[in-house]
Amino acid sequence: MGQNDCVTSETTDPSPAESASDVPAPRTTVVSGGGLPGAPPAAPDDTHTAADLPEDRYLNRELSWLDFNARVLALAEDASMPLLERAKFLAIFTSNLDEFFMVRVAGLKRRDQTGLSVRSADGLSPREQLRVISLRTQELCRKHAHVFSDAVRPELAAQGISVLRWDELTTDERARLSKHFHEQVFPVLTPLAVDPAHPFPYISGLSLNLAITVRDTTTGAEHFARVKVPDNVDRFVRVRSERTDTAFLPMEDLISAHLDVLFPGMMIAEHHVFRITRNADFEVEEDRDEDLLQALERELARRRFGSPVRLEVAEDMSEHMLELLLRELDVDPAEVITVPGLLDLTCLFELYALDRPALKDKPFVPVTHPAFGERETPKSVFATLREGDVLVHHPYDSFSTSVQRFVEQAAADPHVLAIKQTLYRTSGDSPIVDALIDAAEAGKQVVALVEIKARFDEQANIKWARKLEQAGVHVVYGLVGLKTHCKTCLVVRREGAQIRRYCHIGTGNYNPKTARMYEDVGLFTADPDVGADLTDLFNRLTGYSRKEDYRNLLVAPYGVRSGIIERIENEIALHKAGHASGIRLKANALVDEQVIDALYRASQAGVAVEVVVRGICALRPGVPGLSENITVRSILGRFLEHSRILHFRGAGEFWIGSADMMHRNLDRRVEVMAHVKDPRLEEQLNEIFESALDPATRCWELDEAGDWIASPGQGHPVRDHQRELMRSHRATQR
């Protein structure tokens, strides 16, 4: 998560916004079942092609994402939630939508402009999608603005937190703020005029700006000017007020009230707030003969100058001013979003940071998994894993006393010979990175595969890559043409005359900050086969190995999709043979057409399919003759539901891993799905599914028309999935 969001679109692993260059997979794939222990062989006529399925079987992924953000907005509307949590969800909605435009809409616009005729899975051209997105976005933005102005803002005021506008201030309040403006704000402002000697200024993406018309009092001539609202200071200025406990004024209001100071001798004819969003969708042109770091830094420089994809304007924007902005910024009128009230409500993160615990969720402190000891008296991770596998469930199980402790103990242990780890996203002060540096300085072999192409975290990852290199860590940047998204760590330890390998495979990043907000699972094991698999995987990532087959892992881009579809077909075969069957899938997104078609075939065969998806879902459930045996639900809440878990009931297999059911994950990333075999751990994963799929669990359910319906309905008992998990972890301390 980029901010404090818990239902973000996943720019930080989660992206609503899988690369907009995605091209749908072919619809005519033939996949046959079989090949799994205990499975009856599939009859020759059991193979299927996509031609057997109806053409309208997919939902539009872009509109599905907008529906996801509408569910985020619904959390902000929910009066049963703590007030500042509702304000936070309003901020998350804005942050999510920003990324959606920077990546997904930018990609659609590029396709339309370049004449690419690639249609969406539901048959829409890029231009048709852009038109529908524009209408839906305008509707959502109006609702978003009104939730703040009509509900959250007045309720905050009732709690002593007021967001005031300049015309609502008293004379004394204005006087104090005017003094603040002259002393603190005025020196950092740079008014930019537009005339023959001053071209229209470059407007940076996501910056807040004032568009101003000034009139010369002598000649009567009018001129355009732009003032950027500083983005390196708080958006809200504290108002010292006797009327309310805590009051704030938006910075743009303070600047607007003092434009005469910026343009002395001129009359301010009009001024309006606007915000531009630019294309941030780019692909690094990877050349084996060019340094990837240099290529990426070049593309990051280009990102600043991406073409506009959205123009947000205040509701009071005059037609004359809007026409000028459209012309100078080269924006199409269809790309304009008119916003009632404040623009860019990511500023509400500032209010969420206030010390008002009564208006927030109660603090939750993760517990230390009992396998790893008490928080103050840790056990040896290695001794624990020699006794058996361990599954941790974050944020309920502490990341710092499990995953972080694993790497730190490995770094300090004199018997550890090597540590190999993938790093997709790291935090500002990463104890994982510090431990790897300590290990390298202690003379251990340390390999860090740093994915410097992780979208919007490129600069941070470049910084950490260089810091690791300087400490003597062997830093690798992955494979040409692929992002390395898997979450794996391998520790090699000498124990007497033998070498033992200890492994961690997870669904979430090695990031202690997001681990407190993201729901993820991780497998710790000393299983020799898993250790051999990770050894083979790291050899492939760091060397020239072409290893594609593994013992206990499915590895993308070659094995995850085919492995999942093979297991779906196996469930079909088991069901037809009269055996128990069923499929449960938990993921962030379900978009891949080949996986969806396999699930449709399972439903047609009578196999029950239960899907828990946080964000995008292109599968249409409940359609007679196609998907009547498939249910889809979405759970949003305090934590971001991020784990990817698969359960094949007939085969009795549970799998966890880093891959969502999306083209980017299955075709253009290195992903790992691990088979969880220990019955104790299987039961833990089963409990997660049982809780998420409980009929009383608060969620949204997807119907055959593509609408998300809040569930359970009025009058039915309701339970909160995440609160129940918090309660059970506190109670058992497992």
Side-chain angles (χ1 to χ4, degrees), residues 463-657:
K463 171 187 172 184
W464 286 118
R466 287 180 167 150
K467 182 175 180 180
L468 287 164
E469 283 181 323
Q470 291 167 1
V473 174
H474 299 294
V475 177
V476 182
Y477 300 125
L479 303 175
V480 172
L482 298 173
K483 284 186 180 179
T484 303
H485 187 249
C486 55
K487 327 297 183 183
T488 57
C489 182
L490 173 67
V491 173
V492 181
R493 189 171 188 266
R494 183 184 298 280
E495 298 178 357
Q498 66 173 335
I499 299 293
R500 193 188 296 268
R501 288 173 284 203
Y502 298 88
C503 311
H504 173 264
I505 300 172
T507 67
N509 294 308
Y510 291 105
N511 187 324
K513 291 184 178 178
T514 57
R516 292 193 291 269
M517 297 176 282
Y518 281 30
E519 178 270 343
D520 276 300
V521 294
L523 170 68
F524 289 94
T525 182
D527 184 316
D529 284 345
V530 177
D533 277 344
L534 283 193
T535 299
D536 289 340
L537 176 63
F538 276 103
N539 287 344
R540 176 171 175 77
L541 293 174
T542 62
Y544 288 109
S545 166
R546 293 191 176 276
K547 178 77 173 177
E548 294 180 10
D549 298 320
Y550 297 83
R551 304 158 187 82
N552 288 272
L553 306 180
L554 300 176
V555 179
Y558 304 105
V560 172
R561 180 190 283 114
S562 61
I564 289 172
I565 292 176
E566 182 182 9
R567 283 159 178 79
I568 293 172
E569 296 292 349
N570 182 58
E571 293 298 309
I572 294 173
L574 287 168
H575 183 81
K576 289 182 175 180
H579 300 295
S581 66
I583 299 165
R584 297 190 290 186
L585 184 156
K586 184 177 182 298
N588 294 282
L590 176 56
V591 174
D592 186 77
E593 289 87 0
Q594 295 181 53
V595 173
I596 290 174
D597 284 354
L599 293 174
Y600 284 150
R601 293 194 296 273
S603 174
Q604 290 175 321
V607 178
V609 178
E610 298 169 290
V611 176
V612 181
V613 61
R614 177 175 55 87
I616 311 165
C617 182
L619 180 149
R620 191 188 295 273
V623 178
L626 175 68
S627 57
E628 67 265 39
N629 292 308
I630 303 178
T631 61
V632 177
R633 59 171 46 191
S634 177
I635 297 173
L636 275 65
R638 175 173 182 169
F639 306 125
L640 186 147
E641 292 289 326
H642 190 246
S643 64
R644 294 89 166 184
I645 310 172
L646 294 166
H647 179 207
F648 302 98
R649 286 181 182 267
E653 291 185 0
F654 282 91
W655 291 77
I656 68 167

Side-chain angles (χ1 to χ4, degrees), residues 3 5 8-9 91-100 346 349:
Q3 287 84 5
D5 41 1
T8 180
S9 57
I92 292 170
F93 175 96
T94 302
S95 177
N96 286 351
L97 200 60
D98 287 346
E99 185 189 331
F100 178 71
T346 56
F349 282 124

Side-chain angles (χ1 to χ4, degrees), residues 211-215 222-225 267-272 318 320-321 324:
I212 307 155
T213 299
V214 296
R215 184 177 299 125
E222 291 189 345
H223 303 281
F224 174 85
M267 188 181 82
I268 309 301
E270 61 177 321
H271 60 87
H272 309 280
S318 68
H320 164 74
M321 183 67 80
L324 184 149

